[in-house]
Amino acid sequence: MDLGLLSALNSERAARRATVLVTDTSNGVQRLVKEVDIATDPLAALLDKQLRSGKSGAVATEDSSYFLTVQAPPPRVVVTGAVHISQAMAPMARLLDLDLTIVDPRTAFATPERFPGVTLLPEWPDEAIGKIGLDSYTAFVALTHDPKIDDPGLEAALRSACFYIGALGSRKTHGRRVERLVAAGFDEASLARIHAPIGLDIGAVSPAEIALAILGEIVSTLRGPRRQTS
Amino acid sequence: MISTDTDILATAETWAKDGRGVALATVIETWGSAPRPVGSHLVIDGEGNFLGSVSGGCVEGAVVTEAVEVIADGKARTLEFGVADETAWKVGLSCGGRIKVYVERILVEKVN
């Protein structure tokens, strides 16, 4: 591998941008394809599929075989609300290699005792999210039920490229939320990005089950469906 | 695991920029119960110093020895380890899996 190629790969990684390194296994010729350039690449479909899987692997076309080294940033989940559901989410997210950050200005909730080993930001979401920066490998989840905390978080998420936005609450609660966000200047198309009611429909009841439904929906959005539904 | 791989690739870059001969080993295929997934990296310098892992310790020694050769002659090669292989018995991929490892030199453009 060229040192220049390795440097380019490392700087994309440092910026939390995905790349695929394509190695032609017959002659060792390599090139680096940035995520933004995948769509226009001759191997577009193969590269896209490999990147979505999040794993490196060997692929073959009619006339060549390649090894694709996938460098995807570690996915993050940013949650507003140091609540029961996020407590259940913490160990599940760890097992799923999802990097969890919990934002809640209510310092009585956001304590290390309730969230051992979790990144906790006892701040208002607008300040905290400005610092974190939501990118296309970040999921945002609003869980407080309190518009004062959830709404600023949702507004920041809607202005970002994050791959998943979810908000807890009934259809009625979400209806009122949509009204507030429309009043704040968001259009219908962008509000359609919010998953609400949140989570896969598995009939979740307990906080842990709701956490499972939410994380299932996040994984499904990140990886894309595998089975054909036809 | 992902962040560890970042450190490995960053180390490969640092070592190469420091003027050390560097090789990068990548797991390109696994069969059966291989200990490290496809895409795992090991970085090696000309002295045999290394960082990372391609097998969780079983065949690193053999990969490092080959990598020193790769650094010397500049030719990339693919190594295979498995229980059917005598070398693998010797170096011990005892989990019963097989792995294929691609070892390549990091090329630094020479300024004339």
Side-chain angles (χ1 to χ4, degrees):
Chain A
M1 192 196 304
D2 250 22
L3 179 56
L5 212 56
L6 179 61
S7 301
L9 195 159
N10 279 335
S11 53
E12 288 300 297
R13 290 227 52 166
R16 278 183 62 83
R17 285 192 295 262
T19 60
V20 181
L21 176 72
V22 182
T23 306
D24 186 325
T25 45
S26 63
N27 56 17
V29 172
Q30 288 172 321
R31 60 197 177 88
L32 186 68
V33 183
K34 296 180 186 176
E35 187 173 15
V36 291
D37 299 325
I38 286 180
T40 53
D41 195 89
L43 300 174
L46 286 173
L47 299 187
D48 185 60
K49 193 176 159 214
Q50 201 70 44
L51 179 58
R52 287 187 77 92
S53 79
K55 284 187 250 165
S56 302
V59 296
T61 61
E62 272 182 23
D63 30 47
S64 291
S65 57
Y66 303 96
F67 183 72
L68 305 179
T69 311
V70 171
Q71 303 287 350
R76 289 189 299 207
V77 180
V78 176
V79 175
T80 51
V83 295
H84 278 128
I85 297 171
S86 42
Q87 277 183 297
M89 237 184 207
M92 296 184 194
R94 201 170 299 133
L95 288 172
L96 291 165
D97 277 335
L98 295 168
D99 186 355
L100 183 69
T101 301
I102 294 172
V103 180
D104 199 324
R106 302 168 298 180
T107 47
F109 288 77
T111 64
E113 290 73 28
R114 280 162 50 86
F115 292 91
V118 175
T119 310
L120 274 181
L121 300 174
E123 301 167 28
W124 287 92
D126 28 0
E127 313 166 15
I129 287 169
K131 271 184 244 167
I132 301 165
L134 303 180
D135 58 30
S136 58
Y137 285 87
T138 304
F140 176 79
V141 178
L143 294 182
T144 67
H145 279 306
D146 182 345
K148 283 199 304 296
I149 302 169
D150 282 348
D151 283 11
L154 284 166
E155 290 179 21
L158 287 167
R159 279 191 290 266
S160 80
C162 61
F163 73 90
Y164 174 93
I165 304 174
L168 188 71
S170 66
R171 281 176 209 284
K172 215 163 123 194
T173 306
H174 188 60
R176 286 196 296 272
R177 179 185 290 138
V178 166
E179 281 169 25
R180 291 193 305 273
L181 291 169
V182 166
F186 291 95
D187 61 18
E188 225 170 277
S190 60
L191 293 175
R193 289 173 67 198
I194 303 176
H195 289 81
I198 197 170
L200 299 177
D201 186 6
I202 56 170
V205 176
S206 70
E209 289 170 0
I210 298 167
L212 176 68
I214 296 169
L215 290 171
E217 193 167 56
I218 289 173
V219 170
S220 150
T221 309
L222 182 68
R223 301 291 181 222
R226 181 154 299 169
R227 292 190 201 101
Q228 302 295 330
T229 45
S230 64
Chain B
M1 209 168 277
I2 294 165
S3 57
T4 314
D5 281 346
T6 311
D7 296 342
I8 294 162
L9 295 174
T11 302
E13 185 180 343
T14 310
W15 286 1
K17 283 183 174 162
D18 286 347
R20 290 153 81 168
V22 180
L24 182 68
T26 307
V27 177
I28 58 169
E29 255 180 285
T30 64
W31 298 265
S33 59
R36 295 281 286 134
V38 167
S40 303
H41 292 301
L42 179 71
V43 56
I44 308 99
D45 76 0
E47 312 274 276
N49 297 303
F50 66 93
L51 186 77
S53 134
V54 289
S55 75
C58 314
V59 301
E60 268 69 11
V63 174
V64 168
T65 308
E66 284 288 334
V68 172
E69 294 287 309
V70 169
I71 292 166
D73 68 18
K75 284 191 209 118
R77 58 200 80 180
T78 302
L79 313 174
E80 225 179 304
F81 300 97
V83 285
D85 187 301
E86 201 193 321
T87 327
W89 274 118
K90 241 186 282 168
V91 298
L93 202 61
S94 54
C95 49
R98 282 201 294 151
I99 62 170
K100 213 184 245 188
V101 180
Y102 183 71
V103 188
E104 60 187 316
R105 187 165 74 168
I106 302 299
L107 300 168
V108 183
E109 298 216 356
K110 295 253 157 52
V111 182
N112 293 322

